[in-house]
């Protein structure tokens, strides 16, 4: 099903993001962010709430402008939404007036033109099956639970076999079992394709299981403070296999310590 095309290479250099100035004070959300992601690589972004993960991933996906620095995809500056992009939003962002099947089909974008109706339907159905929504294909978003909406959003992002997959806490609203299952599915999907993935998560175990590298961000202003290489062999056995893996535990502890250092460094609020 997946057409083997090279995944996108991303280069983020000295990027800054400021949000609207009020009375002369700009909120600098990100400063001097540097990150390069190679073709086919899986990189997670972790860090405290508010450190700028969503801002960064939206800028990579051409959904928001940056205020300084540069972001290039395959050497070209990002201007607008790049082709062959799959984006999973933190809040699913489904079209309320379209059914689950129609929402997923929207993810086909331009590819839809190159497929027969039957082929397009086949692809959509295969994705719905993968995320366990086959029986709900004709439901509307208002009829779905939060986790089901997230799964529909995931199917919409994957249906085009994108060269670049950007995922903002895609599994945040899922129950523990579905989350583990989808982590394993995602690991399989990315290992079988050449898709480049940037994945935002608060779950350090999830980041270690899925990633080639984990970029740890710090806040105020947000920046990438350390990039940890996950030197666990692939293909990785299911999540279960990581539970008693010593190296995985070391990596998790290291990433967790980096994230927590940052939390502790924050000024504590007066009681
Ligand atoms: N549209 C906006 N206008 C003004 N400020 C914003 C806007 N979006 C984000 N910010 C600010 O930018 C900073 C980073 O926000 P962002 O949503 O990127 O963080 P995050 O790391 O994704 O957080 P979370 O883990 O809670 O999702 C925050 O201080 C936030 O208040
Ligand atoms: Mg966010």
């Amino acid at each position: 099903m997946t057409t083997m095309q090279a995944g996108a290479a991303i280069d983020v250099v000295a990027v800054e993001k400021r949000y609207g100035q009020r009375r002369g004070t700009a909120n600098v959300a990100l400063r001097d962010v540097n990150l390069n992601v190679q073709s086919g690589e899986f990189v997670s972004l972790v860090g405290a709430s508010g450190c700028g993960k969503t801002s960064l991933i939206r800028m990579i996906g051409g959904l928001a402008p940056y205020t300084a620095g540069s972001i290039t995809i395959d050497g070209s500056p990002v201007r607008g939404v790049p082709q062959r992009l799959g984006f999973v939003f933190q809040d699913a962002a489904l079209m309320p007036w379209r059914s689950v099947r129609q929402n997923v089909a929207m993810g086909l974008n331009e590819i839809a033109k190159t497929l027969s109706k039957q082929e397009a339907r086949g692809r959509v159905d295969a994705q719905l099956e993968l995320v366990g929504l086959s029986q709900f294909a004709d439901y509307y978003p208002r009829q779905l639970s939060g986790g089901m909406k997230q799964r529909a959003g995931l199917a919409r992002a994957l249906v085009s076999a994108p060269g670049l997959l950007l995922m903002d806490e895609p599994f945040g609203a899922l129950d523990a079992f579905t989350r583990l299952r989808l982590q394993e599915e995602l690991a399989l999907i990315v290992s079988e394709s050449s898709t480049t993935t940037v994945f935002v998560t608060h779950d350090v175990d999830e980041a270690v299981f899925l990633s080639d590298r984990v970029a740890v961000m710090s806040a105020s202003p947000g920046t990438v403070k350390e990039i940890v290489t996950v030197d666990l062999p692939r293909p990785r056995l299911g999540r279960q296999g990581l539970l008693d893996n010593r190296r995985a535990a070391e990596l998790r502890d290291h990433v967790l310590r980096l994230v927590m250092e940052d939390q502790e460094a924050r000024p504590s609020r007066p009681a």
Side-chain angles (χ1 to χ4, degrees):
M1 188 185 86
T2 318
T3 40
M4 263 312 215
Q5 284 173 296
I10 306 165
D11 221 349
V12 177
V13 180
V15 158
E16 180 201 80
K17 174 71 179 171
R18 285 167 188 264
Y19 285 104
Q21 277 172 291
R22 212 181 280 162
R23 292 194 192 138
T25 52
N27 176 10
V28 183
L30 291 166
R31 178 177 289 159
D32 197 25
V33 175
N34 295 285
L35 178 70
N36 89 9
V37 184
Q38 291 165 32
S39 171
E41 204 181 10
F42 193 115
V43 172
S44 288
L45 305 178
V46 302
S49 179
C51 72
K53 303 178 295 295
T54 295
S55 302
L56 178 57
I57 206 170
R58 284 175 55 83
M59 292 190 298
I60 294 172
L63 297 169
Y66 38 94
T67 43
S70 80
I71 300 180
T72 56
I73 293 185
D74 294 331
S76 307
V78 173
R79 288 208 185 81
V81 179
Q83 287 205 335
R84 298 182 57 229
L85 173 75
F87 204 118
V88 184
F89 297 89
Q90 198 165 357
D91 59 359
L94 302 174
M95 301 282 183
W97 59 90
R98 298 208 164 148
S99 71
V100 168
R101 189 196 303 288
Q102 289 166 336
N103 266 287
V104 173
M106 283 183 66
L108 286 170
N109 294 327
E110 318 93 69
I111 297 173
K113 293 177 208 144
T114 68
L115 301 173
S116 71
K117 264 204 172 123
Q118 220 167 2
E119 284 168 331
R121 173 131 183 155
R123 276 216 195 194
V124 170
D125 284 348
Q127 284 305 326
L128 287 170
E129 174 82 42
L130 182 68
V131 300
L133 287 179
S134 297
Q135 290 134 284
F136 304 97
D138 299 317
Y139 279 48
Y140 287 84
R142 64 173 185 278
Q143 299 170 297
L144 305 179
S145 71
M148 290 160 84
K149 283 183 205 162
Q150 278 291 20
R151 284 186 274 152
L154 181 63
R156 179 183 56 194
L158 290 173
V159 73
S160 67
L164 176 56
L165 185 56
L166 301 177
M167 308 176 86
D168 193 355
E169 294 190 48
F171 303 148
L174 302 177
D175 66 274
F177 178 74
T178 309
R179 186 169 186 142
L180 292 180
R181 214 194 61 148
L182 283 180
Q183 285 170 1
E184 289 177 355
E185 292 292 355
L186 180 63
L188 205 65
I189 291 162
V190 297
S191 72
E192 284 175 351
S193 73
S194 53
T195 302
T196 305
T197 310
V198 181
F199 184 92
V200 173
T201 182
H202 283 283
D203 181 335
V204 172
D205 286 304
E206 176 174 281
V208 167
F209 173 62
L210 290 168
S211 309
D212 297 306
R213 292 185 297 151
V214 178
V216 183
M217 296 181 65
S218 58
S220 328
T223 196
V224 173
K225 73 165 176 180
E226 188 167 325
I227 299 178
V228 178
T229 299
V230 181
D231 50 4
L232 299 170
R234 288 191 189 271
R236 294 181 190 153
L237 301 172
R239 278 296 304 271
Q240 201 73 24
L242 281 199
L243 289 179
D244 44 30
N245 181 313
R246 225 180 62 207
R247 182 65 188 142
E250 281 171 11
L251 287 162
R252 184 205 40 224
D253 290 350
H254 180 59
V255 172
L256 214 47
R257 198 163 300 134
L258 289 169
V259 173
M260 286 174 55
E261 258 172 27
D262 204 52
Q263 306 266 36
E264 282 156 12
R266 286 173 149 192
S268 53
R269 271 191 237 152

